[in-house]
Amino acid sequence: IPFLRILITHLNYNHLPKSIFKEKGTIVVLFQNPKDTAVSIFHFHNNGTQSVPSYSSRDEFFSGFMKDLWGSCFDPAVTWNKHIEDKNTMVIIYEDLKGNLTASVKQIAAFFVFSPTAEQVQVTEGRHTFQPVSVKAQEPHGAVGLILFHKGVFGVWKNVFAEAQNQKLATKFTVCLEVAKLGVKFKYDVYCKA
């Protein structure tokens, strides 16, 4: 197909169609720090949707989360870490995106070999912040669109998990990602320490 197509997915690297790599697709991968990812998963499970199980407490959820009952949130990061230097792949960290949206928009545009004007960058920023995207999510996803977005801020984990739980997540991060290139991009000391 001769025109640009954009596909959005939660699929991990190993589950993407191989044609993406054969056809030289360009891939932007977005990660959120692991602690806030856990909070997002907790809220998604406890949103009242019957298609996913809910949990009576944060402790019950955390126990399942640490046992990787739904797959580990660290697995995609470990897998993508192997491809972080692939020419057709760009990894972005949500906290960096939120922290400097203008720089992030320009960085993504440069990756796609676009040269947006200052006005185009400003329009993109206005349309793609948390509020307009979360409101628009109901169009393609129906009622589920309302629960795909929680707060759009980072650091929420500080108000959710107990100190012992935070320490267990920190230990798992150290085991899985501390020395990985992607682990460094997470800026764990900045975004995941109380």
Side-chain angles (χ1 to χ4, degrees):
I1 298 177
F3 57 86
L4 177 68
R5 290 175 294 161
I6 298 173
L7 305 172
I8 300 170
T9 182
H10 281 92
L11 291 177
N12 197 0
Y13 181 92
N14 297 331
H15 296 103
L16 290 172
K18 301 304 176 219
S19 60
I20 289 175
F21 308 105
K22 291 177 187 171
E23 301 297 326
K24 303 293 182 204
T26 306
I27 303 168
V28 174
V29 184
L30 178 66
F31 280 102
Q32 183 179 28
N33 80 64
K35 290 184 178 182
D36 280 330
T37 298
V39 172
S40 294
I41 294 170
F42 171 73
H43 286 292
F44 183 77
H45 276 269
N46 281 1
N47 63 34
T49 302
Q50 295 177 350
S51 60
V52 294
S54 60
Y55 294 89
S56 62
S57 70
R58 291 178 182 153
D59 291 340
E60 180 189 9
F61 166 80
F62 190 82
S63 176
F65 181 81
M66 292 305 289
K67 291 176 185 168
D68 301 332
L69 291 182
W70 319 282
S72 171
C73 76
F74 292 95
D75 288 345
V78 170
T79 302
W80 279 105
N81 183 69
K82 298 172 189 169
H83 304 281
I84 196 169
E85 293 181 346
D86 291 1
K87 290 180 182 178
N88 68 330
T89 302
M90 173 186 228
V91 175
I92 297 177
I93 304 302
Y94 180 75
E95 291 77 10
D96 291 340
L97 189 70
K98 281 284 285 187
N100 193 338
L101 185 57
T102 300
S104 295
V105 168
K106 290 178 180 178
Q107 182 184 15
I108 294 167
F111 180 67
F112 284 102
V113 197
F114 295 143
S115 299
T117 65
E119 183 181 346
Q120 288 171 320
V121 170
Q122 187 176 16
V123 168
T124 300
E125 290 175 1
R127 288 183 184 160
H128 294 91
T129 57
F130 180 81
Q131 184 60 31
V133 171
S134 64
V135 169
K136 200 168 175 107
Q138 193 171 1
E139 289 175 23
H141 302 292
V144 175
L146 296 173
I147 59 171
L148 289 176
F149 296 86
H150 185 240
K151 289 187 176 182
V153 297
F154 55 87
V156 177
W157 61 267
K158 296 175 186 176
N159 303 319
V160 174
F161 298 121
E163 182 56 38
Q165 292 169 330
N166 282 322
Q167 189 54 49
K168 286 180 182 177
L169 280 168
T171 300
K172 188 151 188 169
F173 179 88
T174 299
V175 168
C176 294
L177 291 170
E178 184 176 47
V179 298
K181 290 178 183 176
L182 181 53
V184 172
K185 279 184 81 80
F186 272 118
K187 298 178 187 167
Y188 196 87
D189 287 347
V190 175
Y191 296 122
C192 292
K193 289 202 173 173

